[in-house]
Amino acid sequence: MPHPDAVAPPTADAPTPPTVTPPTVTPSTVDGPEADLRPEARRELDAILLDGTLTYRQRVQRLAAFAENLRPMPPLRAATREALDARVICDMYEGNAPYRPRYLLPDYAAALANGSAYLELPPPRDLAEATWFLASMYANVPSITGYPVYLGDLDALLAPYADGLSEDAIVEALRPFWRALDRMLPDAFVHANLGPEDTPMLRAILRLERELRQVVPNLSLKVAPGVTPDDLLRDATETVFACAKPHFVNDPMMRADHGEGYAAVSCYNSLKIGGGAHTLVRINLKEVALRHEGDTEAFFTTTLPHDVEATAELMEARIRHLVERSGFFEHDWLVQEGLVQLDRFSAMFGVFGLAEAVNVLMERAGASGRYGHDADANALGHRIVRTIAGLVADRPQPYCDGFDGRAMMHAQSGIDLDVDVTAGTRIPIGEEPDLYRHLMAVAPHHAVFAAGVSDIVHFDDTARRNPDAVVDVIKGAMATGMRDVTFNLDSNDFVRITGYLVKKSDLAAIEAGARHGSTYLGAGNEAQAHCTQRATKRVVAAERQAGGRG
Amino acid sequence: MTLPRPLPADAAARAVRLAPDGADAGGVRGLVSGTIPFSAVDGPGNRFAVFLQGCNMDCPACHNPHTIRVCDDCGACVDGCPTAALEVVGGAVRWRPDACIGCDACIAACPDASSPKARSVTPDALVAEVRPVAPFLSGVTVSGGEATQQATFVRAFFAALAADPTTARLTRFVDGNGLTPPAVWDALEPVMDGAMIDLKAFDDDAHRALTGTPVAPVKASIDRLAARGLLHEVRLLIVPGRNDAPDALHRAATWLAGVAPDVHVRVTGFRRHGVRPGASGWREPTAREIRGYGDAVRAAGLANVTVV
């Protein structure tokens, strides 16, 4: 924004600018040769090129998605294509010709230990070199968003370079790096992990988070009973009060599914370090239920298997294009240096709209119980999820050795285009029962969703005066088999949308443009799902941005 | 001014009347107006809160006045229920939760503004309700009403919590009005871990005006619990013009600082929400006034003060 004095208004004393006489003859203009575009595509292109509220990078990213989608999708059976067009199944608008995996989790520890030939960097020797080394890597790590979705388990990665430094000294040394993460990677899907061990590095990072209150990085704390002390959970809870981060993840449960080398990235996606997810394809259970004809049993024996197979086919086609045609796994530097390995990849099978599906089936069966409130409705929800999990476990997927040749279940937390359909297996916004019954209704799902599940737990402001109560709930949730726990407090400046954060002040300012790409998604989601329960904002951004996150 | 009056019916007796035929006929039962599985405002950490029916104070500023009096089975509410969720069986008014729409017409019809919906439970049955919630809890708090009015039940409930392996680690707290006599504390202290007590006014006349009861027993309870290391929190509810005189606040805080300098003190400004007509015209303090109350309390040397 220019300084207010930069363009001074004319004053009485100011000299009158010379009058410019317009040319009397306007030269005629001639259109240049134009690419062969359908009018609809031309409009889409102009919406990017002529929208000054988008930053340069946001435009470049959208242009790339536009260009990718000039190419047709990989071939699909007619029934699958029909389900996709009806958005019963959804490719997350990742783009028609995937040329990089959706989520990559580079093995940053190996890079720091060995240096990188591609980056022409030797192994770092101190904290400053280590942070610059990582920042250099981040600039070269792709993902569906164009930004790295995983920054590493930063406490563990950086602790060896801070040996002997006090917590205060670490805070001072790390502050420029932490600020730069938010400024260089302006996307709330950029995610760092911490824990489960308590270290001065971890404490310093939490302090920085409370001090800087940035959208980036999104943050998960791994929690292990007997390893993660209550005092650290309390510190993390105070951090949630300040900036709505971190998420809490159930470390023993994750290790059981993925082994020691896992991380939570983007929005609640738990994947293998040194690998990732080729793609995320999701099934809209609300639409599946609405299109279903017949009784509840037929839903399980006929409709679900049909639509799950359609989802799996779309997934397979996308994986094959990425691995067999794009050349990524032959040529990308992360692959060549062994920082990601194809055999640590799988794909994510997302489900959403469970609440509506359950309510539709209950109504058709003449029952009044609603998901989240009624034992029969909840049991039906659990049966749907377990049935899908069984079908997915029986359906081989190519190049998914990272999960025994199968896709991983994921409760997909929604994108901004979703209207009147609830994220993942959540209870609809505004319908949540009291917290205990809420957790009891959703906890049984968590075991199934190896690739992550999101249930956002709302606390009112009284919790701020009693952080130990929040710590109790975290420990209880883990003990009860919840995989991921995220809190939202009514009164801080952040609002958690589907799994990522936006600042309320940025939402309010969106018509003037926003620095974080994800703020646009947040604005769309805010308008569609009323997830802040506040007045909706006009949406200026194009919705079909490649790869609507999850 | 409302004067202290005896409870029209004893809570324990009503709990026995409501007991299913033959079930624990001779056993201890409690009369419970409600439970909350997660509470962040009833003591340390997350707590299972049990609200017992019946209170021996009669405060106009009470936010839950339907928990003060105990149903005496007069039946005045039965005909007023729009969904026939109330009936008189064997001389007792019984409530059918499945038919209830929660309109509270029963409370409006009650000459004592009481609720007929308080339920009768055994200690073991209440422990069974706590058990599945236990992983999420620091402890259990009994509140009210006035929990110590049902001390026999509370003692049995706490003992049962301590005996159950799932709930034994939970701390057991009493949230009370402080009128509790020494003999009742004698009975409860062996099975409880802490107490939170309201000090609704420091001077006797103000206390009588706000609660209908004298203040001396409340001070005695605070003194006693502090001496035994069981006083977790003292609440000061401040009503402008009734108990907010600076010198009274100062004397209350100075006395508290002498009795329990480290006790957690919660200073709360009066709110009209839910109160009966007697207090609905009382003025709520401004945010600035409430901050002033907090400052006055801290000035007396109390370090652990929260202003709400």
Side-chain angles (χ1 to χ4, degrees), chain A residues 9-223:
Chain A
T11 66
D13 297 334
T16 311
T19 310
V20 176
T21 312
T24 48
V25 178
T26 307
S28 60
T29 59
V30 178
D31 284 341
E34 184 161 6
D36 185 15
L37 284 179
R38 286 171 288 114
E40 182 189 311
R42 173 62 188 262
R43 278 195 298 277
E44 209 176 310
L45 183 58
D46 284 354
I48 301 166
L49 290 174
L50 305 181
D51 183 352
T53 67
L54 298 173
T55 65
Y56 165 72
R57 279 199 70 153
Q58 286 161 353
R59 287 201 227 203
V60 168
Q61 187 183 357
R62 283 164 206 228
L63 287 170
F66 172 83
E68 181 184 347
N69 289 335
L70 293 175
R71 201 182 184 288
M73 282 193 180
L76 300 168
R77 284 183 303 134
T80 301
R81 180 75 221 190
E82 187 276 332
L84 177 60
D85 290 341
R87 288 290 150 187
V88 175
I89 64 177
C90 172
D91 61 2
M92 303 292 288
Y93 308 97
E94 282 180 348
N96 290 352
Y99 53 94
R100 75 292 195 202
R102 180 180 184 87
Y103 299 135
L104 285 120
L105 289 72
D107 185 347
Y108 293 108
L112 287 166
N114 304 327
S116 166
Y118 177 79
L119 295 177
E120 301 177 68
L121 285 173
R125 295 166 302 181
D126 57 27
L127 190 56
E129 285 189 6
T131 52
W132 278 110
F133 187 101
L134 287 172
S136 306
M137 278 190 78
Y138 299 154
N140 291 279
V141 173
S143 77
I144 194 66
T145 67
Y147 294 100
V149 294
Y150 175 57
L151 300 182
D153 284 47
L154 282 176
D155 55 340
L157 288 173
L158 294 176
Y161 304 96
D163 220 16
L165 288 183
S166 70
E167 194 182 301
D168 286 345
I170 297 172
V171 167
E172 292 307 313
L174 225 48
R175 186 180 290 109
F177 173 65
W178 215 257
R179 281 205 172 113
L181 294 179
D182 183 77
R183 307 312 190 272
M184 292 167 58
L185 311 169
D187 185 292
F189 303 94
V190 172
H191 205 130
N193 282 225
L194 304 171
E197 288 86 10
D198 191 7
T199 62
M201 179 61 70
L202 201 172
R203 296 288 185 141
I205 289 171
L206 292 180
R207 265 176 62 184
L208 275 172
E209 279 285 313
R210 292 194 294 268
E211 175 195 321
L212 300 176
R213 300 184 183 215
Q214 301 174 159
V215 168
V216 181
N218 207 341
L219 209 57
S220 282
L221 175 66
K222 299 175 175 179
V223 179

Side-chain angles (χ1 to χ4, degrees), chain B residues 43 55 81 95 122 149 171 215 261:
Chain B
C55 183
C81 178
W95 170 58
T122 63
Q149 288 283 97
T171 57
V215 74

Side-chain angles (χ1 to χ4, degrees), chain B residues 61-258:
Chain B
C62 180
H63 293 292
N64 296 294
H66 63 279
T67 65
I68 297 176
R69 309 298 294 272
V70 173
C71 171
D72 61 1
D73 295 308
C74 77
C77 56
V78 173
D79 290 343
C81 178
T83 58
L86 295 164
E87 54 190 352
V88 179
V89 180
V93 174
R94 289 174 189 271
W95 170 58
R96 292 192 296 126
D98 54 329
C100 180
I101 56 169
C103 71
D104 288 344
C106 47
I107 296 170
C110 178
D112 286 332
S114 175
S115 168
K117 298 192 284 191
R119 60 196 172 99
S120 171
V121 296
T122 63
D124 286 344
L126 199 51
V127 171
E129 291 181 38
V130 176
R131 210 177 285 129
V133 193
F136 297 90
L137 300 174
S138 278
V140 176
T141 295
V142 292
S143 181
E146 169 51 35
T148 64
Q149 288 283 97
Q150 299 188 45
T152 307
F153 172 75
V154 170
R155 184 185 155 93
F157 173 50
F158 279 3
L161 284 171
D164 187 302
T166 310
T167 57
R169 73 168 179 87
L170 303 179
T171 57
R172 300 175 293 271
F173 273 57
V174 173
D175 181 346
N177 64 18
L179 288 182
T180 311
V184 171
W185 287 128
D186 286 342
L188 290 177
E189 280 166 0
V191 289
M192 66 183 252
D193 298 294
M196 292 160 288
I197 303 292
D198 290 353
L199 179 57
K200 293 192 164 98
F202 190 67
D203 296 326
D204 193 63
D205 53 347
H207 196 270
R208 284 176 189 270
L210 286 171
T211 71
T213 63
V215 74
V218 181
K219 291 182 186 173
S221 288
I222 289 172
D223 206 355
R224 169 199 178 102
L225 291 164
R228 286 163 171 74
L230 291 171
L231 186 66
H232 173 70
E233 181 174 278
V234 173
R235 283 83 173 268
L236 307 176
L237 173 71
I238 314 291
V239 189
R242 292 171 196 272
N243 65 354
D244 68 337
D247 72 303
L249 265 182
H250 179 72
R251 279 182 289 116
T254 304
W255 175 77
L256 256 185

Side-chain angles (χ1 to χ4, degrees), chain A residues 363-514:
Chain A
E363 273 171 40
R364 292 229 186 114
S368 61
R370 289 181 70 79
Y371 180 68
H373 295 264
D374 175 79
D376 292 340
N378 291 346
L380 180 59
H382 300 153
R383 185 180 171 198
I384 291 172
V385 166
R386 285 179 190 281
T387 301
I388 296 170
L391 293 165
V392 171
D394 286 342
R395 170 62 156 89
Q397 289 287 355
Y399 312 109
C400 284
D401 291 345
F403 204 69
D404 201 22
R406 302 293 188 273
M408 299 171 287
M409 289 286 283
H410 175 62
Q412 204 277 324
S413 58
I415 60 175
D416 60 336
L417 292 178
D418 298 341
V419 181
D420 293 333
V421 57
T422 301
T425 52
R426 288 185 199 166
I427 297 168
I429 291 170
E431 279 188 30
E432 298 97 337
D434 71 67
L435 186 48
Y436 173 65
R437 285 191 300 148
H438 183 172
L439 298 180
M440 288 298 100
V442 297
H445 294 304
H446 283 222
V448 168
F449 291 110
V453 48
S454 67
D455 287 296
I456 297 182
V457 175
H458 290 269
F459 270 104
D460 66 26
D461 213 27
T462 58
R464 206 176 277 276
R465 294 191 291 268
N466 190 352
D468 289 335
V470 179
V471 172
D472 281 338
V473 173
I474 294 166
K475 288 160 62 183
M478 303 277 153
T480 317
M482 288 185 73
R483 181 184 297 274
D484 300 276
V485 181
T486 295
F487 294 103
N488 223 10
L489 267 99
D490 286 343
S491 56
N492 58 34
D493 184 44
F494 292 85
V495 57
R496 193 167 289 288
I497 300 294
T498 57
Y500 57 96
L501 291 174
V502 299
K503 282 192 161 184
K504 287 175 187 169
S505 44
D506 286 348
L507 267 184
I510 189 130
E511 295 192 24

Side-chain angles (χ1 to χ4, degrees), chain A residues 139-350:
Chain A
N140 291 279
V141 173
S143 77
I144 194 66
T145 67
Y147 294 100
V149 294
Y150 175 57
L151 300 182
D153 284 47
L154 282 176
D155 55 340
L157 288 173
L158 294 176
Y161 304 96
D163 220 16
L165 288 183
S166 70
E167 194 182 301
D168 286 345
I170 297 172
V171 167
E172 292 307 313
L174 225 48
R175 186 180 290 109
F177 173 65
W178 215 257
R179 281 205 172 113
L181 294 179
D182 183 77
R183 307 312 190 272
M184 292 167 58
L185 311 169
D187 185 292
F189 303 94
V190 172
H191 205 130
N193 282 225
L194 304 171
E197 288 86 10
D198 191 7
T199 62
M201 179 61 70
L202 201 172
R203 296 288 185 141
I205 289 171
L206 292 180
R207 265 176 62 184
L208 275 172
E209 279 285 313
R210 292 194 294 268
E211 175 195 321
L212 300 176
R213 300 184 183 215
Q214 301 174 159
V215 168
V216 181
N218 207 341
L219 209 57
S220 282
L221 175 66
K222 299 175 175 179
V223 179
V227 177
T228 313
D230 284 3
D231 183 55
L232 175 58
L233 289 177
R234 193 187 156 107
D235 209 20
T237 297
E238 300 278 7
T239 311
V240 172
F241 293 166
C243 57
K245 295 180 276 178
H247 310 276
F248 299 87
V249 302
N250 191 326
D251 186 62
M253 208 169 166
M254 294 292 195
R255 286 176 188 238
D257 285 325
H258 300 289
E260 192 177 331
Y262 78 90
V265 307
S266 193
C267 288
Y268 316 100
N269 305 295
S270 32
L271 302 166
K272 279 187 165 64
I273 295 171
H278 298 301
T279 180
L280 165 54
V281 177
R282 63 180 193 157
I283 182 168
N284 183 339
L285 295 173
K286 175 189 180 181
E287 289 302 319
V288 175
L290 286 173
R291 283 159 46 117
H292 169 64
E293 290 170 3
D295 62 12
T296 302
E297 280 314 300
F299 181 79
F300 286 101
T301 55
T302 308
T303 300
L304 261 190
H306 176 273
D307 288 342
V308 166
E309 174 52 30
T311 317
E313 187 199 336
L314 176 60
M315 176 181 282
E316 177 171 352
R318 298 183 59 74
I319 296 171
R320 286 196 184 281
H321 181 93
L322 171 68
V323 179
E324 295 172 354
R325 301 200 61 193
S326 80
F328 178 89
F329 283 100
E330 287 78 41
H331 299 286
D332 191 88
W333 75 280
L334 292 166
V335 178
Q336 292 197 334
E337 298 200 2
L339 301 176
V340 296
Q341 295 169 22
L342 181 56
D343 65 4
R344 291 182 67 79
F345 276 79
S346 176
M348 300 171 67
F349 192 104

